[in-house]
Every structure is written in C-alpha cells, then in structure tokens.
Amino acid sequence: MEQKELQILCEKISIDLFGEVFRHEVRFNNKLRTTGGRYLLKTHDIEINPKYLKEQGVDAVIEIIKHELCHYHLHIKGRGYKHGDRDFKCLMKKVGAPRFCKPLTTVKRVKQSYKYIYQCSTCKQEYKRKKRMDISRYACGKCRGELILKQEIKGS
C-alpha cells in the first residue's frame, strides 16, 4: 500500500463511519516503534506504523485508522479526544474502534531485569531493584519495617 492509497482509505473510513471529511494528511512513519499510529495535535495529521501493514495486513491498519480518526474528529470539534475522556470512549464504541492494537510479534519485548532483591524484616515484602540502594535511608512501604538485602544477582 502506498501513501496515496493510505490517504484514500482514511478519507473513505472517515466519511463512511464518522460522516465527516478528513481534511488533513495520513502517512506512514517508519520511526514509530511501540504504537500502531498517532494523531498529531498541532498539524491534525495521522501517522501509521508500516510494520502493522506488513505483519498484520490491511485490516489492522483500518482498525488503527478508526482509532486515530476518533482522536481527530473529537479534537477538531473541541470535545474530549483523550483516551480517558467519555466522548472518546463513546465514539470508539460507536464506530467499533479498538482501544489498543495487537502487539507486533517481530518487536522484541525486553524483559525487565533486576540485580538486587530487598526484603522487609517484619512483613517479608520483597522489593526488586536494578540499582543498589542505601537501606539505612529507606523503610518498607507497607509496614515501615527495616529493609535487608536478601539477594544480589550476579551477571545480570
């Protein structure tokens, strides 16, 4: 799918589902990594992650466009366009837009690693940390008990 086809698709979805014209630009952005698309508040343009087209097909791109058009049309009208706003949630439900897109399988998710495990000497609550901390300056957030270094993981 080329840029021009993407623009035509977006304009068609806007008229069919929202009953309004999309007057701005939609384009692919190769720099998007963690999201399927985004609506740009200043320019009113929409950017789509091309990896979704390659991996999940046109249907995934249509779902992303529907979601971004919800942001677009509500923002243009001066109504609640953010994810938590009631207007946004109602419009998404009305047009069948997804809240999130399916994650890409080609993108590697980095597992959070930790080096230190601290434990409360009173309630046994565990705290996993990447960096070493001065336990004389901190207490347990649950019971205010004293923290001890339970384990230091080597080689992470």
Side-chain angles (χ1 to χ4, degrees), residues 29-39 47-52 64 67-68 71 83 99-104 107 109:
N29 183 347
N30 288 307
K31 293 179 182 175
L32 294 178
R33 293 184 185 273
T34 59
T35 184
R38 69 177 171 192
Y39 166 64
E47 295 181 336
I48 304 293
N49 187 340
K51 293 174 195 127
Y52 278 85
I64 294 166
H67 178 97
E68 300 308 326
H71 289 297
H83 286 123
R99 175 80 166 84
F100 301 104
C101 50
K102 295 175 191 135
L104 293 167
V107 175
R109 304 274 180 231

Side-chain angles (χ1 to χ4, degrees), residues 19-141:
E20 297 185 32
V21 179
F22 178 69
R23 290 180 161 66
H24 292 84
E25 189 180 327
V26 63
R27 62 183 162 269
F28 286 115
N29 183 347
N30 288 307
K31 293 179 182 175
L32 294 178
R33 293 184 185 273
T34 59
T35 184
R38 69 177 171 192
Y39 166 64
L40 303 169
L41 294 172
K42 290 181 181 177
T43 62
H44 305 295
D45 292 344
I46 293 174
E47 295 181 336
I48 304 293
N49 187 340
K51 293 174 195 127
Y52 278 85
L53 177 64
K54 289 175 191 146
E55 190 178 304
Q56 298 178 8
V58 178
D59 291 337
V61 172
I62 289 170
E63 295 299 304
I64 294 166
I65 289 171
K66 288 195 299 191
H67 178 97
E68 300 308 326
L69 282 173
C70 289
H71 289 297
Y72 171 80
H73 287 296
L74 290 170
H75 183 249
I76 294 288
K77 292 178 185 173
R79 295 171 58 201
Y81 62 89
K82 296 178 183 174
H83 286 123
D85 294 335
R86 179 177 284 142
D87 290 335
F88 183 75
K89 289 177 183 177
C90 290
L91 185 58
M92 278 203 333
K93 193 172 186 177
K94 181 182 170 189
V95 299
R99 175 80 166 84
F100 301 104
C101 50
K102 295 175 191 135
L104 293 167
T105 57
T106 55
V107 175
K108 292 179 184 174
R109 304 274 180 231
V110 178
K111 185 182 173 217
Q112 288 285 44
S113 60
Y114 50 89
K115 265 181 103 167
Y116 303 96
I117 300 175
Y118 295 93
Q119 187 177 40
C120 175
S121 57
T122 310
C123 70
K124 307 298 183 211
Q125 171 74 36
E126 283 191 355
Y127 298 93
K128 297 173 181 175
R129 298 289 180 264
K130 285 185 173 188
K131 294 183 178 180
R132 190 175 185 97
M133 55 189 261
D134 182 3
I135 55 176
S136 66
R137 298 184 65 202
Y138 295 95
C140 175

